[in-house]
């Protein structure tokens, strides 16, 4: 069916404007990262008058960016693996069994998802500090402590999404597996998990990206040794000057792997959302 | 007794799962082990999740509520149990709108409401437009779809820090365009301090938030059967009519989830204002999460900070409950 001109023009105009809006900061990030410091400190230039790749070398020296990178990676990967693994078991139980307390559990999970991070930040901070002062276990400032706090948002989201996804997988599949000699856990790993790969990928992508971009917990719960990228990038601002070209170069360096990974996996995300959240 | 009861179960795990209807299991086994086996497994599967939920959500929440009844200042951080009990004092301070702390909280709450309304509204609007316009396939659709997801994929601080750079007064792009190139403003404006900050915050928040709406709605569009459009097309409905009569109504269930999720995320957003403005936001853009953070970690008054958190939580619960009630009532008529 041929769409009318009015529709085609609306489509062209709206989509062009949206693309411009979306890409504007990306252009600024890329172009400013290639300018010398005096150019980014002066009037903005659409076209850089001098192009240099020096900022890409300087970023590693101005702040310990590589260390922050590793910290972010460890924290985000651990939080993702931990929350998704635990959520798979929990979601399977909720999706496939009737048991006492099921409603309490799902309502708790659903409601904790909506609570603001600031609500947990204060008590967790105090718990960590008090555990440290009474037992000597240094949770406050450690990567392990930060990983735990990241579960506050990734675990409920993962459980909630996976329940929806597992519900969309026909029960006959795992019943058949049980007939063929699988136990319930065998059925989970041989049948349900493989069938739920898009949902599991979607949940993992979400958990990883939220952990990678998290600022609130990271700014309170880390120290010099465990600082993640989200806080470490502030190091390019000194008392007198902000090294904007280096800020932009560093932002680009930490973004590229995430954006590429996300764009490769985004099909799964749509598929995961379709079954998990949008029913 | 126990040995005979468990051994057939353990030896043949397959029959335990499949013998739901047959009398075989009942004949040989007492009923209790079977019930425990069936009843125990879900709890075992849930155990790690329940333990963690307790550790990261339930216990902190209880402590947070207890903290809100105590005068918890920096002197008691290492031993918060010793902080003096003050009853409802923290709450009284938080909601005393004539005194500075209460007045600031109320102001911050209202700012957050305005911010959330516009931010969610625009994010939803852009997401809906993009999802619908990208529904039909055309050349460049795949690329645009990827481009539109970039703000969602970019780490929050990297994206927001770039916006902060663009909104710099002297070397930013926004003032360069508005003042130097178009001459709209008489002199370069401040965007990150003063009254303009709320606009800055909304723009950045919409930029960051609308791709999620786009993603959800795109997923929702895939559930609309093609036949509906074909039937409408045969009946002579144009594309605009199809959008109004088929696409938008079909998206209603998605929108109900989407608007609630966007509301909660936007209302609680900390990352955007924190990266844009730092530890204390300008008055016109003083979002509630930053406000509580500031009262707790900058002025070190954890007691009032906790009381504010609890009040915020009660408000969010109330809004969610009312919203769910309204949307579920609207849905009662249909078969969903």
């Amino acid at each position: 069916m041929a769409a009318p001109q009015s529709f085609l023009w609306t489509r062209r105009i709206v989509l062009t404007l949206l693309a411009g809006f979306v890409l504007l900061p990306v252009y600024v990030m890329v172009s400013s990262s290639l300018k010398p410091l005096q150019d980014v400190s002066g009037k903005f230039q659409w076209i850089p008058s001098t192009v240099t790749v020096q900022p890409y070398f300087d970023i590693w020296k101005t702040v310990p960016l590589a260390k922050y990178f590793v910290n972010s990676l460890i924290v985000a990967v651990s939080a993702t693996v931990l929350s998704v693994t635990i959520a798979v078991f929990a979601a399977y139980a909720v999706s496939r069994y009737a048991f006492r307390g099921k409603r309490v559990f799902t309502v708790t999970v659903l409601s904790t998802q909506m609570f603001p991070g600031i609500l947990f930040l204060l008590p967790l901070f105090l718990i960590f500090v008090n555990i440290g002062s009474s037992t000597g276990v240094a949770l406050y400032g450690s990567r392990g402590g930060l990983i735990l706090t990241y579960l506050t948002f990734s675990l409920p989201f993962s459980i909630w999404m996976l329940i929806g996804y597992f519900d969309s997988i026909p029960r006959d599949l795992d019943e058949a597996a049980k007939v063929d000699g699988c136990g319930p856990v065998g059925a989970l790993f041989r049948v349900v998990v493989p069938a739920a790969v898009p949902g599991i990928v979607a949940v993992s992508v979400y958990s990883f990206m939220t952990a990678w971009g998290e600022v609130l917990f990271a700014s309170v719960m880390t120290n010099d040794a465990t600082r993640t990228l989200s806080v470490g990038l502030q190091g390019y601002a000194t008392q007198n000057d902000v090294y904007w070209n280096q800020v932009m170069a560093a932002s680009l360096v930490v973004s590229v792997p995430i954006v590429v990974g996300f764009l490769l996996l985004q099909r799964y995300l749509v598929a995961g959302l379709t079954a998990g959240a949008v029913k | 007794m126990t040995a005979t009861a468990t051994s057939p179960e353990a030896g043949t795990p397959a029959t335990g799962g499949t013998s739901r209807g047959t009398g075989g299991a009942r004949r040989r086994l007492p009923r209790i082990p079977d019930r425990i086996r069936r009843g125990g497994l879900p709890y075992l599967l849930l155990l790690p999740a329940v333990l963690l939920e307790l550790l990261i959500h339930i216990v902190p929440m209880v402590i947070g509520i207890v903290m809100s009844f105590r005068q918890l200042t920096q002197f008691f951080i290492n031993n918060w149990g010793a902080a003096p009990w003050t009853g409802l004092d923290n709450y009284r301070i938080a909601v005393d709108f004539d005194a500075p702390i209460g007045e600031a909280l109320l102001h911050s709450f209202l700012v957050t409401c305005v911010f959330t309304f516009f931010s969610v509204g625009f994010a939803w609007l852009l997401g809906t437009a993009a999802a619908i316009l990208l529904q039909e396939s055309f050349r460049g659709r795949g690329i645009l779809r990827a481009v539109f997801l970039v703000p969602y994929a970019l780490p929050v601080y990297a994206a927001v820090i770039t916006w902060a750079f663009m909104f710099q007064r002297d070397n930013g792009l926004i003032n360069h365009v508005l003042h130097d190139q178009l001459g709209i403003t008489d002199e370069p404006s401040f965007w990150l301090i003063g009254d303009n900050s709320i606009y800055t915050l909304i723009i950045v928040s919409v930029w960051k938030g609308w791709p999620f709406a786009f993603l959800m709605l795109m997923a929702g569009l895939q559930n609309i059967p093609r036949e509906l459009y074909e039937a409408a097309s045969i009946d002579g409905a144009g594309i605009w009519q199809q959008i109004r009569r088929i696409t938008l109504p079909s998206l209603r269930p998605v929108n109900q989830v989407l608007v609630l999720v966007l509301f909660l995320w936007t209302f609680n957003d900390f990352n955007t204002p924190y990266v844009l403005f730092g530890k204390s936001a300008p008055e016109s853009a003083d979002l509630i999460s930053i406000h509580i953070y500031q009262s707790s970690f900058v002025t070190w008054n954890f007691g009032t900070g906790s009381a504010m958190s609890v009040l915020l939580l009660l408000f969010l619960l109330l809004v969610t409950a009312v919203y769910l009630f309204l949307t579920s009532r609207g849905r009662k008529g249909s078969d969903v």
Side-chain angles (χ1 to χ4, degrees), chain B residues 90-153:
Chain B
N90 288 322
Y91 290 91
R92 260 181 234 125
I93 293 170
V95 297
D96 181 2
F97 300 138
D98 295 325
I101 292 179
E103 199 193 336
L105 181 67
L106 180 66
H107 171 82
S108 160
F109 173 76
L110 295 176
V111 165
T112 311
C113 288
V114 171
F115 161 73
T116 307
F117 178 80
F118 284 105
S119 196
V120 171
F122 285 122
W124 176 81
L125 207 66
L126 295 184
T128 305
I132 290 177
L133 293 173
L134 284 185
Q135 195 183 7
E136 299 285 323
S137 88
F138 59 90
R139 196 140 52 120
R141 174 170 170 255
I143 293 169
L144 273 176
R145 192 168 114 147
V147 164
F148 287 169
L149 291 174
V150 164
Y152 185 76

Side-chain angles (χ1 to χ4, degrees), chain A residues 180-208:
Chain A
D180 290 344
C182 279
V185 178
L188 168 63
F189 281 110
R190 298 227 182 125
V191 179
V192 179
V193 167
V197 163
I200 292 172
V201 173
V203 170
S204 308
V205 167
Y206 173 85
S207 299
F208 185 85

Side-chain angles (χ1 to χ4, degrees), chain B residues 85-260:
Chain B
W85 188 266
T86 61
L88 287 171
D89 272 7
N90 288 322
Y91 290 91
R92 260 181 234 125
I93 293 170
V95 297
D96 181 2
F97 300 138
D98 295 325
I101 292 179
E103 199 193 336
L105 181 67
L106 180 66
H107 171 82
S108 160
F109 173 76
L110 295 176
V111 165
T112 311
C113 288
V114 171
F115 161 73
T116 307
F117 178 80
F118 284 105
S119 196
V120 171
F122 285 122
W124 176 81
L125 207 66
L126 295 184
T128 305
I132 290 177
L133 293 173
L134 284 185
Q135 195 183 7
E136 299 285 323
S137 88
F138 59 90
R139 196 140 52 120
R141 174 170 170 255
I143 293 169
L144 273 176
R145 192 168 114 147
V147 164
F148 287 169
L149 291 174
V150 164
Y152 185 76
L154 276 175
V156 177
Y157 49 87
V160 178
I161 225 169
T162 308
W163 278 103
F165 174 53
M166 290 161 64
F167 278 111
Q168 293 292 306
R169 180 173 182 265
D170 296 321
N171 56 344
L173 173 146
I174 305 291
N175 274 346
H176 179 61
V177 171
L178 291 184
H179 178 69
D180 304 343
Q181 296 192 313
L182 300 177
I184 294 172
T185 49
D186 290 335
E187 53 185 283
S189 328
F190 286 102
W191 292 105
L192 299 171
I193 53 172
D195 290 344
N196 288 336
S197 313
I198 182 76
Y199 304 121
T200 309
L201 192 60
I202 291 172
I203 291 170
V204 178
S205 173
V206 170
W207 182 86
K208 200 168 66 64
W210 82 268
F212 180 75
F214 169 62
L215 202 61
M216 285 275 279
L217 291 164
M218 215 162 48
L221 286 178
Q222 297 189 350
N223 291 340
I224 305 176
R226 302 282 331 155
E227 298 86 56
L228 278 181
Y229 291 106
E230 279 155 23
S233 176
I234 290 166
D235 289 344
I239 196 154
W240 292 112
Q241 261 185 316
Q242 289 177 25
I243 289 171
R244 221 180 55 221
R245 297 279 164 81
I246 300 173
T247 314
L248 290 177
S250 307
L251 287 178
R252 244 186 83 154
V254 183
N255 276 326
Q256 287 176 348
V257 177
L258 176 64
V259 167
L260 182 64

Side-chain angles (χ1 to χ4, degrees), chain A residues 6 11 21-22 29 32 40 42-43 46 86 97 100 114-115 120 123 130 152 212 215 230 244 269 274 278, chain B residues 41 43 52 57 60-61 77-78 80 133 157 162 165 171 180-181 207 215 223 240 254 264 268 313 320:
Chain A
S6 68
R11 187 161 77 183
F21 180 48
V22 163
M29 209 188 262
S32 304
V40 286
K43 281 254 172 290
W46 283 98
I86 293 167
Y97 292 91
R100 194 188 291 257
M114 56 181 268
F115 297 166
F120 302 111
N130 278 263
T152 57
W212 190 261
V215 179
S230 55
W244 281 116
L269 206 64
T274 314
V278 185
Chain B
L41 183 69
Y43 293 112
L52 269 177
H57 284 135
M61 215 144 62
I77 284 175
N78 280 310
W80 65 274
L133 293 173
Y157 49 87
T162 308
F165 174 53
N171 56 344
D180 304 343
Q181 296 192 313
W207 182 86
L215 202 61
N223 291 340
W240 292 112
V254 183
L264 291 170
N268 297 331
L313 176 64
T320 310

Side-chain angles (χ1 to χ4, degrees), chain A residues 9-52:
Chain A
W9 276 107
T10 312
R11 187 161 77 183
R12 269 175 217 143
I13 293 167
V14 171
L15 294 183
T16 309
L17 287 176
L18 272 176
F21 180 48
V22 163
L23 290 177
L24 188 65
V26 178
Y27 175 74
V28 170
M29 209 188 262
V30 176
S31 68
S32 304
S33 73
L34 297 168
K35 293 175 187 172
L37 184 61
Q38 78 239 30
D39 284 9
V40 286
S41 308
K43 281 254 172 290
F44 182 83
Q45 303 160 352
W46 283 98
I47 314 285
S49 56
T50 322
V51 172
T52 167

